[in-house]
Amino acid sequence: MGLGVEYESAYEGSDEFGFEATPAGAAQWRSGDDIFYWAGEALGWRGLRSKTWLFEATVAFDEGREESDSDDGRLDGLGNTGEGTEFVLQARRALDADWRYWLDSRVVTGDNGSRGLFGVGRRFGDQNDGTGSDFSIVAVFHDSNLANSNFGISAGQSTASGLKETDLSGGFRSIGFNYTYRNYINENWQLFGEVLYERYSSDIADSPIARKNYEAEVGVGFIYIF
């Protein structure tokens, strides 16, 4: 268990950034190549198959978006997008024996819509204990429900907010990268960090909700391992 600090966009497409302290940690039970875990707002299973395939299934909580997420009133009149549950299915395929390179695919579906992610990644360092760093590039696609939940503006919202009515179709959403780092300070303490950048497609960037054509996040924290 531990604590992290993130500097991130106030909401997807926001030009407002701020610091947020977040709890970090997990509890897990392992049996052979299978792990059952609770981590943050997610409960799931992860399993290694045939040494080159990693599968994962997760139930997670989606916080949604609130008008108050914008201190500058950029979301006034748009209402809140509902909180809900997300189901995540992931498959990762190693391209070599030591998992230095891999392909990744993920499907996320929930109350606000669905998205698919396809990426490639590389692990740095020779450790096999989960520490070191890795870098991945990911292409993201979403359906029309999720596109409009995050960036669409209905006729009623347009009247209440003064923003242009916007109806989006599904398809390509963004391309981004993610860099993570973990290292043991001593036997019980671990330092972790993450940098995330997501560049939106032109359709998303043209939405009045997207004040920027990207989303970014930097986080750092410490975890105590029992």
Side-chain angles (χ1 to χ4, degrees), residues 25-75:
Q28 67 180 35
W29 177 75
R30 184 170 188 167
S31 176
D33 290 330
D34 296 291
I35 292 178
F36 301 87
Y37 64 88
W38 161 81
E41 298 175 334
L43 182 68
W45 160 84
R46 182 185 302 119
L48 184 67
R49 296 295 180 268
S50 69
K51 297 185 179 180
T52 57
W53 282 99
L54 179 70
F55 295 97
E56 188 167 1
T58 308
V59 179
F61 177 71
D62 179 11
E63 296 180 352
R65 187 189 68 205
E66 299 181 357
E67 287 189 5
S68 59
D69 288 342
S70 173
D71 293 333
D72 295 339
R74 306 291 195 189
L75 302 176

Side-chain angles (χ1 to χ4, degrees), residues 29-191:
W29 177 75
R30 184 170 188 167
S31 176
D33 290 330
D34 296 291
I35 292 178
F36 301 87
Y37 64 88
W38 161 81
E41 298 175 334
L43 182 68
W45 160 84
R46 182 185 302 119
L48 184 67
R49 296 295 180 268
S50 69
K51 297 185 179 180
T52 57
W53 282 99
L54 179 70
F55 295 97
E56 188 167 1
T58 308
V59 179
F61 177 71
D62 179 11
E63 296 180 352
R65 187 189 68 205
E66 299 181 357
E67 287 189 5
S68 59
D69 288 342
S70 173
D71 293 333
D72 295 339
R74 306 291 195 189
L75 302 176
D76 290 354
L78 297 180
N80 301 334
T81 60
E83 300 175 343
T85 302
E86 289 185 336
F87 299 92
V88 184
L89 296 176
Q90 180 179 3
R92 180 173 289 190
R93 174 69 161 85
L95 300 179
D96 56 4
D98 60 359
W99 283 84
R100 188 163 299 280
Y101 298 92
W102 68 84
L103 298 176
D104 197 14
S105 63
R106 191 180 313 168
V107 175
V108 183
T109 184
D111 299 327
N112 294 323
S114 302
R115 64 183 179 272
L117 300 87
F118 305 92
V120 59
R122 187 188 192 282
R123 178 176 66 89
F124 301 92
D126 297 325
Q127 306 95 317
N128 291 314
D129 59 357
T131 61
S133 61
D134 60 70
F135 178 84
S136 59
I137 299 175
V138 180
V140 185
F141 301 82
H142 56 188
D143 64 11
S144 58
N145 289 336
L146 186 60
N148 285 295
S149 176
N150 292 335
F151 298 101
I153 301 173
S154 67
Q157 290 174 320
S158 177
T159 300
S161 66
L163 299 176
K164 180 183 177 181
E165 184 177 348
T166 303
D167 183 55
L168 298 170
S169 59
F172 177 66
R173 168 191 166 99
S174 63
I175 189 164
F177 72 81
N178 184 56
Y179 175 81
T180 62
Y181 173 82
R182 289 180 180 274
N183 192 35
Y184 282 103
I185 300 174
N186 55 38
E187 183 177 353
N188 297 106
W189 283 98
Q190 185 182 97
L191 168 69

